[in-house]
Amino acid sequence: MVDYHAANNQSLYSAGGQQIYMEQENDWDRDLLLDPAWEKQQRKTFTAWCNSHLRKAGTQIENIEEDFRDGLKLMLLLEVISGERLPKPERGKMRVHKINNVNKALDFIASKGVKLVSIGAEEIVDGNAKMTLGMIWTIILRFAIQDISVEETSAKEGLLLWCQRKTAPYKNVNVQNFHISWKDGLAFNALIHRHRPELIDYDKLRKDDPVTNLNNAFEVAERYLDIPKMLDAEDIVNTARPDEKAIMTYVSSFYHAFSGAQKAETAANRICKVLAVNQENEHLMEDYEKLASDLLEWIRRTIPWLENRAPEKTMTEMQQKLEDFRDYRRVHKPPKVQEKCQLEINFNTLQTKLRLSNRPAFMPSEGRMVSDINGAWHKLEGAEKGYEEWLLNEIRRLERLDHLAEKFRQKAAIHESWTDGKEAMLTQKDYETATLSEIKALLKKHEAFESDLAAHQDRVEQIAAIAQELNELDYYDSPSVNARCQKICEQWDALGSLTQSRRESLERTEKQLESIDELYLEYAKRAAPFNNWMEGAMEDLQDMFIVHNIEEIQGLITAHDQFKSTLPEANKERESIQAIQAEVHKIAQYNGIKLAGNNPYTTITPQSIDKKWEKVQQLVPQRDQALQEELARQQSNDHLRRQFANQANMIGPWIQNKMEEIGRISIEMNGTLEDQLTHLRQYEQSIIEYKPNIDQLEGDHQLIQEALIFDNKYTAYTMEHLRVGWEQLLTTIARTINEIENQILTRDAKGISQEQLHEYRTSFNHFDKDHSGVLHAEEFKACLISLGYDVENNKQGDAEFARIMGIVDPNNSGAVTFQAFIDFMSRETTDTDTADQVIASFKILAGDKNYITAEELRRELPPDQAEYCIARMAPYTGPDAVPGALDYMSFSTALYGESDL
């Protein structure tokens, strides 16, 4: 007799392709009798279970220990449930034929990795009820329960865990075992309602009516789920502890009936998870594209404004341009600096999420790469710097032009006043009827006029020089200046011609003239240059001046003091000239001569000399006051320079120190990533709190510009330099925080422990000898060797190192960032969902078809994700295509990129 060994109520494990049953509690014991109630339940349940399969072959059994005695229906049952052919049975009626057939069945069971303990063919042939039930239980375990596994649990535990999960939402249901947990019938009804809610009105069931509950579940299962009635409601209710094996057998039928729905649910969950990641990533991509477009559009609009070098005509208009530029620097640009920084942070975060979800890297649309934005920003700052320099130069030019134009008008007015009536004087014919003395007087008068004319030559040349400079500086009112200058020059030429003509006329009659009063002549000759000196002095004392520093105004004060030192000598000359006139009157009075009028040789009277001298005396203190006021203004300007310099000399080193500290923080590792992030955010807050110092410096800078101060010898820092440093500081701390956030995101998504991340950072920093934040190829190789990678300098090691470098440095830059390093290490030790897994999930939802329909997607997925798929799936064009078929394979490929498949 062949001895087969089996363990009942067993669970199956797979090891190396071999199936091994592990013995559990409640083993069959041939020396013990079954509880009568349990035996009754097992008979009914096992019989119904066998018939649920035998009916597929057109037969059934009535008595489980009698109908399997010849082995024929036993062999048929095994063929139906396994789908395999057994050896041909023997048709004889003798005991040996029956034993041989049962042995063939037991041999087949043993071939499936089952060891039958204490069950022999003779006992089955003899109709031993306990042994027959034990054999059928072994078959049920092997073919109905063995493959049930939830979260890598054993068969029995897996089936129990499945029941617990499915019934968890239902009140009054608490599945803890396969016996008393099912007595009130609510658990059976809950399983059916969970999968087919339309079949049962669960809320109407009562816990205190177990028979009704059990019968309801058994009838619904038999009628709608094709699960035969394997249990009797009254037997279960009237038994203190229902038979565990009977309950397990019946519940396993529910599991198999709903397993298809379970697979579809799992597939749908996987697809929903993948689609949610993709939808979030697409939203981030759209946000990036919009932010990039808005920023580039702002730069595109701003650069032409900054490149516009069309000068304005007046200082007021140019100063308004400067004020507009200040508003741009204070109000409009700072938010754009933040947007640019946030754009880079969003881009890095998106790429990290794409890597973590095994998606292709994000490639922005053409012209919207981070490098494109940096390039546009660089052009913006170039235009900005040139614009500010141009504005200041233009203001200086207009200031100079206004000064020259006013100076031109003053000198031109003085000259025009002097020339008024001179042409009429030169063209009169008074000498034709004059006496000799009168002729001589006219000639001397004309000589005095020529002296006066020569003295005015310098002023005419100055007027022409100023007009020429105004033309060279592109003065907006140059045409009127040129016209006025041309008129003065033409008049000057005409005066020269008329003077020459009158001299010739007077000289023709000179022989008829007698001596002239020498005193009048001496007076006229000395009075003319002195009068011209006084006019020049008055002009100089009223002359406008413009200076930019204390040294220049002190130079004007020194020159003015020198001028004042000459006044006593000038007064002596005035008194000497007036003495000549007094001598004339003395002689005339002494000789009884009646003077006919004023000095015939000059129009300069002693009264006019005294009047002009008094004017000079008045202008000197006025000039003193103007110079002292300008000195006070320059001293105020020097105070503004020192005030700005003191603050700038403190802020500049502070910014540099903070930049260096951020560099050290990004390299050092103190505490967890969360600790580092908290520390960096506190550090960022301390930087932000420093902003009032920058604002104060901006206010000082504005005062300097409003005072038209263009240089500062007390500091090497400019406002532009400090602005750039401040913006770089804010950007650097934000980027450093984002790097830590991305490391936390990578750690959490990849399941990297804090100790692993610490080890990675320690290794990375150890080989980053120059503290550059990246590892060059040889440094990275040394780091890999320290972590146990075989990349030594040999053929195999070189190939492995080339493979790894292709992953961490796809652009062949020769440098590996820390983010790329931890991405590689996490990819080496963790798994992610793949395109193959997503395709397999869609295939389950599609019922193994090569396509899926919109109706199926809407039935299996949440509404928003179903519509997301429908909108993006291309029509399926395979040979088995039907109207409305969608291609889920190409869609899954697009999610991950071709390289993943």
Side-chain angles (χ1 to χ4, degrees):
M1 160 180 158
V2 180
D3 185 23
Y4 295 91
H5 304 278
N8 300 294
N9 198 13
Q10 302 150 347
S11 61
L12 181 72
Y13 290 83
S14 177
Q18 298 297 319
Q19 296 171 335
I20 304 171
Y21 278 91
M22 302 294 293
E23 294 187 3
Q24 293 186 346
E25 61 181 356
N26 301 329
D27 288 344
W28 287 89
D29 190 337
R30 64 186 296 133
D31 297 325
L32 298 176
L33 295 177
L34 282 173
D35 181 282
W38 288 5
E39 182 175 346
K40 179 182 178 182
Q41 291 173 3
Q42 286 186 16
R43 283 178 181 275
K44 181 176 180 64
T45 302
F46 292 179
T47 299
W49 183 87
C50 291
N51 285 334
S52 70
H53 294 286
L54 286 172
R55 67 183 179 183
K56 299 174 185 177
T59 186
Q60 64 178 13
I61 61 172
E62 299 294 338
N63 188 305
I64 196 165
E65 69 265 27
E66 290 295 330
D67 293 347
F68 285 139
R69 290 179 63 185
D70 60 4
L72 295 177
K73 288 188 177 181
L74 179 59
M75 294 177 69
L76 182 60
L77 174 64
L78 292 171
E79 287 185 343
V80 171
I81 62 178
S82 69
E84 301 179 24
R85 297 291 296 178
L86 270 67
K88 186 176 181 180
E90 297 181 12
R91 296 296 180 178
K93 301 290 186 179
M94 298 177 64
R95 177 179 173 82
V96 67
H97 297 141
K98 296 178 182 180
I99 290 174
N100 288 340
N101 287 338
V102 173
N103 276 332
K104 290 177 181 179
L106 296 179
D107 285 340
F108 179 77
I109 295 172
S111 71
K112 296 303 179 182
V114 180
K115 292 183 179 180
L116 299 171
V117 179
S118 303
I119 300 176
E122 289 85 351
E123 294 168 313
I124 304 301
V125 173
D126 290 338
N128 186 313
K130 180 182 177 183
M131 293 300 108
T132 302
L133 291 174
M135 176 189 67
I136 297 302
W137 173 243
T138 299
I139 293 172
I140 292 172
L141 274 178
R142 173 58 183 84
F143 294 102
I145 300 178
Q146 168 189 314
D147 293 331
I148 299 175
S149 178
V150 179
E151 293 188 356
E152 300 181 357
T153 61
S154 66
K156 177 181 177 181
E157 293 168 345
L159 183 59
L160 184 62
L161 180 58
W162 179 80
C163 294
Q164 290 171 340
R165 286 185 174 177
K166 294 301 179 181
T167 61
Y170 294 88
K171 62 182 180 179
N172 297 325
V173 177
N174 183 17
V175 177
Q176 297 297 326
N177 50 56
F178 285 110
H179 36 83
I180 60 175
S181 294
W182 304 82
K183 284 190 67 173
D184 58 11
L186 292 178
F188 290 114
N189 284 278
L191 279 180
I192 298 172
H193 185 270
R194 179 65 181 272
H195 295 91
R196 296 288 299 276
E198 75 280 5
L199 298 180
I200 290 179
D201 188 352
Y202 185 83
D203 292 334
K204 290 186 177 180
L205 300 177
R206 293 166 43 209
K207 187 174 180 65
D208 59 358
D209 191 4
V211 174
T212 300
N213 297 342
L214 289 165
N215 284 328
N216 181 67
F218 297 161
E219 291 168 4
V220 169
E222 186 169 39
R223 181 177 179 182
Y224 296 103
L225 304 178
D226 197 27
I227 299 175
K229 186 176 180 181
M230 301 182 185
L231 301 171
D232 184 81
E234 287 74 11
D235 290 344
I236 293 177
V237 171
N238 296 328
T239 304
R241 172 172 165 165
D243 181 61
E244 188 176 52
K245 297 176 178 59
I247 300 293
M248 282 182 65
T249 301
Y250 187 50
V251 171
S252 70
S253 298
F254 283 89
Y255 176 86
H256 290 294
F258 297 134
S259 62
Q262 177 70 20
K263 292 180 180 178
E265 180 182 347
T266 301
N269 288 339
R270 179 183 292 276
I271 292 171
C272 288
K273 177 183 176 183
V274 171
L275 294 180
V277 170
N278 214 61
Q279 287 173 301
E280 181 184 0
N281 290 341
E282 285 189 358
H283 179 69
L284 291 175
M285 294 175 190
E286 291 169 0
D287 287 349
Y288 173 90
E289 291 282 348
K290 183 179 185 306
L291 188 57
S293 297
D294 293 346
L295 185 57
L296 287 170
E297 174 62 20
W298 179 81
I299 294 173
R300 183 191 67 76
R301 293 195 312 269
T302 304
I303 286 179
W305 174 66
L306 293 172
E307 290 179 342
N308 180 14
R309 299 297 191 270
E312 301 295 343
K313 294 181 179 180
T314 66
M315 277 282 287
T316 302
E317 292 171 321
M318 285 306 297
Q319 285 174 336
Q320 182 58 49
K321 276 184 175 286
L322 182 60
E323 186 61 31
D324 292 343
F325 181 70
R326 289 178 184 146
D327 286 343
Y328 157 79
R329 294 301 298 268
R330 293 193 307 262
V331 179
H332 302 294
K333 185 184 176 186
K336 298 303 177 183
V337 173
Q338 294 299 320
E339 288 180 15
K340 176 176 176 291
C341 178
Q342 188 62 45
L343 190 71
E344 294 178 5
I345 290 173
N346 290 353
F347 181 84
N348 293 334
T349 301
L350 174 59
Q351 298 294 33
T352 300
K353 288 187 175 182
L354 290 172
R355 285 195 304 272
L356 296 178
S357 58
N358 204 25
R359 302 305 196 273
F362 168 56
M363 180 62 66
S365 56
E366 184 176 356
R368 293 185 177 90
M369 296 286 290
V370 172
S371 58
D372 297 323
I373 293 168
N374 286 336
W377 191 266
H378 181 71
K379 292 180 181 178
L380 173 75
E381 292 185 328
E384 177 184 306
K385 181 178 180 182
Y387 187 70
E388 184 175 28
E389 183 178 350
W390 174 76
L391 281 174
L392 295 176
N393 288 336
E394 274 300 304
I395 289 175
R396 290 182 184 180
R397 184 181 71 83
L398 288 175
E399 183 185 35
R400 173 67 175 163
L401 282 175
D402 286 349
H403 172 73
L404 288 175
E406 183 60 27
K407 193 169 185 177
F408 173 84
R409 286 189 288 271
Q410 285 185 0
K411 289 186 178 294
I414 292 172
H415 178 76
E416 288 165 347
S417 176
W418 178 83
T419 59
D420 185 37
K422 293 296 189 293
E423 289 187 19
M425 181 195 73
L426 291 172
T427 55
Q428 61 184 341
K429 304 296 184 179
D430 52 347
Y431 55 84
E432 292 179 351
T433 58
T435 63
L436 179 61
S437 60
E438 292 172 337
I439 293 299
K440 286 183 177 291
L442 289 174
L443 185 59
K444 296 300 181 181
K445 182 179 179 181
H446 189 69
E447 288 177 355
F449 172 76
E450 285 181 328
S451 176
D452 197 11
L453 184 68
H456 278 269
Q457 176 70 31
D458 288 342
R459 182 177 290 113
V460 174
E461 291 176 354
Q462 289 175 9
I463 291 171
I466 293 172
Q468 178 63 27
E469 188 171 0
L470 287 171
N471 278 278
E472 291 173 353
L473 293 176
D474 196 22
Y475 182 53
Y476 77 95
D477 200 21
S478 289
S480 65
V481 169
N482 292 337
R484 191 172 183 180
C485 181
Q486 181 67 25
K487 183 179 179 181
I488 289 173
C489 291
E490 289 174 354
Q491 186 185 41
W492 181 257
D493 292 339
L495 286 176
S497 298
L498 291 174
T499 299
Q500 181 65 27
S501 176
R502 183 172 177 81
R503 169 174 278 282
E504 291 172 355
S505 298
L506 291 173
E507 285 178 349
R508 280 194 304 267
T509 58
E510 185 177 11
K511 292 181 180 180
Q512 303 172 7
L513 300 178
E514 293 184 350
S515 64
I516 191 169
D517 189 343
E518 293 295 333
L519 291 176
Y520 269 160
L521 182 58
E522 182 182 359
Y523 174 90
K525 288 183 178 180
R526 292 180 66 177
F530 184 72
N531 182 72
N532 191 62
W533 175 85
M534 286 192 297
E535 288 180 347
M538 288 188 293
E539 182 178 347
D540 289 341
L541 289 171
Q542 298 177 88
D543 191 16
M544 296 178 63
F545 58 84
I546 179 171
V547 295
H548 297 94
N549 52 56
I550 292 178
E551 289 76 10
E552 290 179 1
I553 188 61
Q554 288 176 338
L556 290 179
I557 292 174
T558 300
H560 183 60
D561 290 340
Q562 291 175 349
F563 168 76
K564 289 193 293 184
S565 68
T566 65
L567 290 178
E569 189 66 29
N571 190 43
K572 290 181 181 179
E573 176 66 11
R574 180 186 66 83
E575 291 173 349
S576 177
I577 293 172
Q578 297 293 52
I580 293 174
Q581 181 68 18
E583 183 67 18
V584 169
H585 287 282
K586 181 179 178 181
I587 294 173
Q589 185 177 9
Y590 181 78
N591 294 297
I593 299 172
K594 186 177 181 180
L595 298 176
N598 294 327
N599 191 326
Y601 305 118
T602 182
T603 60
I604 302 172
T605 67
Q607 294 78 13
S608 67
I609 290 177
D610 287 342
K611 185 177 181 180
K612 289 181 180 179
W613 178 256
E614 291 175 2
K615 181 66 174 177
V616 170
Q617 294 295 100
Q618 293 171 0
L619 289 176
V620 167
Q622 293 176 7
R623 185 70 167 184
D624 281 332
Q625 181 180 355
L627 290 173
Q628 289 301 319
E629 288 174 353
E630 181 62 26
L631 176 61
R633 189 176 77 86
Q634 289 302 326
Q635 288 173 339
S636 174
N637 287 354
D638 201 59
H639 172 72
L640 290 178
R641 288 188 181 95
R642 292 177 184 273
Q643 180 175 301
F644 175 85
N646 291 338
Q647 190 74 355
N649 291 337
M650 177 182 67
I651 291 176
W654 183 89
I655 291 176
Q656 180 62 32
N657 180 55
K658 293 300 179 184
M659 289 291 289
E660 293 172 357
E661 288 183 8
I662 293 172
R664 288 196 299 271
I665 292 172
S666 64
I667 293 175
E668 297 172 353
M669 298 175 298
N670 295 319
T672 65
L673 288 178
E674 285 75 9
D675 293 338
Q676 296 176 42
L677 185 60
T678 299
H679 178 57
L680 282 172
R681 284 175 174 161
Q682 292 172 349
Y683 200 80
E684 181 184 38
Q685 184 60 36
S686 70
I687 292 175
I688 293 173
E689 291 172 355
Y690 196 75
K691 180 66 161 56
N693 295 294
I694 303 297
D695 295 337
Q696 179 184 344
L697 191 65
E698 286 282 5
D700 294 343
H701 179 65
Q702 181 170 344
L703 293 176
I704 282 179
Q705 287 198 329
E706 289 172 351
L708 299 178
I709 300 171
F710 303 109
D711 58 352
N712 195 335
K713 64 183 179 180
Y714 300 114
T715 181
Y717 293 102
T718 66
M719 194 65 236
E720 172 65 23
H721 177 261
L722 294 175
R723 284 192 198 111
V724 171
W726 175 251
E727 291 170 1
Q728 288 178 345
L729 179 62
L730 293 177
T731 300
T732 300
I733 187 65
R735 285 175 176 165
T736 303
I737 289 173
N738 180 244
E739 288 175 2
I740 298 298
E741 291 174 336
N742 283 341
Q743 290 178 30
I744 292 174
L745 186 62
T746 301
R747 180 199 67 191
D748 294 342
K750 297 296 187 177
I752 302 174
S753 67
Q754 185 66 38
E755 291 72 17
Q756 285 178 301
L757 203 59
H758 182 81
E759 179 184 355
Y760 295 156
R761 171 55 83 178
T762 302
S763 299
F764 189 91
N765 288 347
H766 176 76
F767 291 99
D768 182 14
K769 301 299 184 183
D770 57 357
H771 304 295
S772 62
V774 298
L775 295 183
H776 301 293
E778 290 304 317
E779 292 175 335
F780 181 56
K781 176 181 281 190
C783 182
L784 288 176
I785 292 173
S786 73
L787 294 172
Y789 282 81
D790 184 12
V791 290
E792 295 289 350
N793 292 325
N794 52 54
K795 185 175 182 180
Q796 181 177 355
D798 291 343
E800 174 65 8
F801 183 66
R803 179 190 73 83
I804 295 174
M805 283 298 290
I807 296 173
V808 299
D809 183 23
N811 297 324
N812 295 322
S813 64
V816 180
T817 65
F818 181 66
Q819 185 64 46
F821 174 64
I822 61 174
D823 281 348
F824 166 73
M825 296 304 298
S826 61
R827 188 183 300 121
E828 291 286 298
T829 57
T830 58
D831 295 324
T832 58
D833 56 271
T834 65
D836 286 336
Q837 292 172 331
V838 175
I839 289 173
S841 298
F842 273 118
K843 195 173 187 69
I844 291 173
L845 297 186
D848 285 337
K849 301 190 299 295
N850 292 324
Y851 59 84
I852 195 167
T853 66
E855 180 182 357
E856 290 170 331
L857 286 170
R858 291 189 176 105
R859 184 178 69 241
E860 300 292 348
L861 299 180
D864 62 329
Q865 294 186 329
E867 298 306 323
Y868 177 83
C869 292
I870 293 168
R872 287 163 174 75
M873 281 188 183
Y876 177 72
T877 58
D880 55 340
V882 299
L886 299 174
D887 188 352
Y888 61 77
M889 184 171 293
S890 62
F891 173 73
S892 301
T893 301
L895 287 179
Y896 289 86
E898 293 288 349
S899 61
D900 190 58
L901 292 178

